Amino acid sequence: MGVIKEAELPGLGKKYLVELEGGERIGVVVYDEGLRDLFYFAAGENEPAYTVTLTDQEARQIASILGGVFYQPKMLEKLEMAIADLRIEWLKVTPQAPAVGKSIGELNLRKNHGINVIAIIEDAGRGKKKCTAINPGPSFVFLPGQMVVAAGKAGDIEAFEELITGGGVQNGAV
């Protein structure tokens, strides 16, 4: 895992520098007005080889792609991301899951379980997936076969997994 350095840029925003295992570095400057500059530094170089400026929306779209919201590599049996104590996990709703037929609001996921549902992904046929809802509201109802992308603390995610799978482990099964 790469090392991340963070620095405040007073009056501008924040700067992050990620040192990759291969020796390259990726720099990200997040400006207070929303723009992001990305810099790629080849191993051992102090000047960036490439620079790209993204709008806030473009940066969020690319972050979603990199984070696996739209596509999860099939070679991973269980995909999870850990950022400090926060985990993001992909869980498939099983037919026997206690959450089937219930809404996010009925389950009161945020208040009772500390879980935020980031997205719902469904099978679009022919092996393709489609994102049904990004940040679905409290009226969204869970159905078997949906892939739920959720964020929460490790213990909360484990309890949520029981609600979504009914104990049957189908994490990230795409």
Side-chain angles (χ1 to χ4, degrees):
M1 179 179 289
V3 175
I4 301 173
K5 296 179 181 175
E6 179 180 331
E8 292 285 336
L9 300 175
L12 291 176
K14 279 195 168 191
K15 177 177 123 184
Y16 300 89
L17 188 61
V18 181
E19 295 179 20
L20 306 177
E21 292 178 8
E24 302 108 327
R25 293 173 293 149
I26 296 180
V28 179
V29 174
V30 181
Y31 294 98
D32 290 338
E33 71 269 8
L35 292 177
R36 274 86 157 174
D37 283 339
L38 299 179
F39 304 94
Y40 169 78
F41 299 85
E45 296 293 325
N46 290 324
E47 293 295 321
Y50 305 102
T51 302
V52 176
T53 299
L54 303 169
T55 65
D56 182 64
Q57 184 177 6
E58 291 166 337
R60 291 177 190 278
Q61 289 173 329
I62 290 173
S64 297
I65 292 167
L66 291 174
V69 169
F70 299 106
Y71 175 75
Q72 179 184 359
K74 293 178 181 166
M75 61 189 271
L76 300 176
E77 289 184 20
K78 181 173 182 174
L79 182 62
E80 62 182 38
M81 294 174 40
I83 304 167
D85 196 25
L86 173 70
R87 286 178 48 187
I88 299 174
E89 187 135 1
W90 285 250
L91 301 164
K92 190 169 188 176
V93 180
T94 62
Q96 73 274 11
V100 169
K102 295 182 181 170
S103 70
I104 291 173
E106 282 179 272
L107 296 169
N108 211 353
L109 292 177
R110 190 171 299 157
K111 184 177 179 184
N112 292 342
H113 302 282
I115 295 294
N116 287 301
V117 176
I118 299 170
I120 304 293
I121 300 167
E122 293 183 338
D123 190 353
R126 298 184 182 172
K128 295 186 177 186
K129 304 288 179 192
K130 70 174 181 180
C131 187
T132 302
I134 296 176
N135 193 22
S139 63
F140 188 90
V141 175
F142 293 107
L143 298 173
Q146 295 171 331
M147 184 68 68
V148 180
V149 183
K153 292 182 179 179
D156 295 333
I157 287 286
E158 289 174 16
F160 179 64
E161 184 175 340
E162 181 69 26
L163 274 175
I164 293 299
T165 67
V169 178
Q170 292 201 13
N171 298 3
V174 178

